[in-house]
Amino acid sequence: MATCKACQEPLTLTLDPADPEIRDGGEEAVMVPDDLELQACGCHFHWQCLLDVAPQVTTSMHCPACDTSLASGHAGSSSSASSGQTILTNYASEDGVQQDYDILSVLREEAYFAQHPEDRSAKALHIMSAEGDVAGIMDVLMTEAEDAEELYQAAPVQRLTTWRDPLNGGQTALHVAIVNRQEDVFWLLLWVATPGVPETAFPAEIARRANSQVILSRMKTVYSGQIDQGGMDVRFVRDDNGRTPGDLCREVGSPFSDFAQSAVFQ
Ligand SMILES: [Zn+2]
Ligand SMILES: [Zn+2]
């Protein structure tokens, strides 16, 4: 049986039996396939072992084990990747086998975050925004705020909520929430990240719900009290296409187009 070219171990992954997400529970450790084959050269890796060398692979576009050129696809073709390049693999995992799986975008993302580890929590916020995970977002914001010195607690909130994802069109978490039509996340992000907006501008139901959560109202107080209002209001951050969250609201239509008319955006 083939082994991983990076660590020489068998191409399996042992799941932690203590992980509640594992269906069969029990005391026994569960072994699943974890076999990522590069089509260009036929070398096999564990998923994580290839991701660990993502900066090297995306820079060289060569196999880290045998140095074969991995780039396929043609510049100017209709490939979805902007460069027209792909790195095709066959990946066998717990979920079955995926043939012709293009791993290049995953590697590029991993390479970016290896070089910018401080942006990982902002990316996590974006994923939660897409999924509508309000509790998760609260948790990330509060954790980062609590790690900061008291006087600067607003700074991480501002950094996270105005961070523009370079691998996703320069969108903020608010853009992501709008695209994915996540209303609760939309209002939460506006609530915490628009220091110049008075509470009375928010729909009464939103303000009532936010104020009923002690943590959330505290966040807003801390935020609006300690940061000056220039240039960090999430309403004014544009994506790579020059769109503010308000512009995007009008693009995705009702009910977001109505939200963009509300007092919060005036
Ligand atoms: Zn390995
Ligand atoms: Zn190879």
Side-chain angles (χ1 to χ4, degrees), residues 3-11 34 44-50:
T3 55
C4 172
K5 288 281 185 183
C7 70
Q8 320 303 331
E9 298 289 328
L11 291 157
D34 180 20
H44 295 253
F45 297 87
H46 293 112
W47 175 270
Q48 189 58 48
C49 285
L50 193 66

Side-chain angles (χ1 to χ4, degrees), residues 37-41 50 57-58 60-63 68-90 99-108:
E37 179 189 14
L38 297 173
Q39 286 188 358
C41 58
L50 193 66
V57 175
T58 52
S60 71
M61 295 298 282
H62 283 74
C63 172
T68 299
S69 173
L70 298 177
S72 52
H74 307 281
S77 77
S78 59
S79 166
S80 58
S82 56
S83 64
Q85 286 183 316
T86 57
I87 294 182
L88 293 179
T89 70
N90 304 318
Q99 299 284 347
D100 300 327
Y101 173 69
D102 177 15
I103 200 170
L104 181 54
S105 61
V106 172
L107 289 173
R108 283 198 174 127

Side-chain angles (χ1 to χ4, degrees), residues 87-244:
I87 294 182
L88 293 179
T89 70
N90 304 318
Y91 182 47
S93 72
E94 185 185 9
D95 300 323
V97 180
Q98 281 176 278
Q99 299 284 347
D100 300 327
Y101 173 69
D102 177 15
I103 200 170
L104 181 54
S105 61
V106 172
L107 289 173
R108 283 198 174 127
E109 189 165 299
E110 190 64 22
Y112 176 85
F113 290 108
Q115 282 147 17
H116 303 88
E118 72 282 3
D119 287 344
R120 280 191 193 270
S121 51
K123 181 64 183 186
L125 194 75
H126 282 217
I127 292 167
M128 292 169 184
S129 296
E131 294 170 347
D133 182 0
V134 168
I137 291 169
M138 294 283 297
D139 201 42
V140 169
L141 293 178
M142 287 310 299
T143 302
E144 295 267 328
E146 277 166 3
D147 285 348
E149 300 245 350
E150 182 122 12
L151 266 176
Y152 301 100
Q153 280 189 335
V157 177
Q158 182 254 316
R159 183 179 64 76
L160 289 168
T161 53
T162 58
W163 181 72
R164 300 169 65 251
D165 187 348
L167 301 168
N168 186 26
Q171 296 197 335
T172 66
L174 185 57
H175 288 92
V176 171
I178 295 165
V179 169
N180 290 280
R181 309 184 71 85
Q182 297 291 356
E183 292 184 32
D184 289 344
V185 174
F186 172 82
W187 288 114
L188 168 66
L189 291 171
L190 283 170
W191 184 263
V192 299
T194 54
V197 177
E199 278 186 30
T200 50
F202 284 83
E205 171 62 14
I206 300 299
R208 191 192 63 72
R209 267 165 49 196
N211 277 323
S212 71
Q213 300 182 47
V214 175
I215 293 173
L216 197 49
S217 44
R218 187 186 119 200
M219 176 88 75
K220 178 158 193 316
T221 306
V222 168
Y223 189 71
S224 58
Q226 292 172 359
I227 292 270
D228 82 58
Q229 295 171 12
M232 65 205 23
D233 188 315
V234 72
R235 291 173 302 166
F236 306 127
V237 182
R238 295 176 186 273
D239 67 12
D240 288 349
N241 293 317
R243 296 174 302 186
T244 64

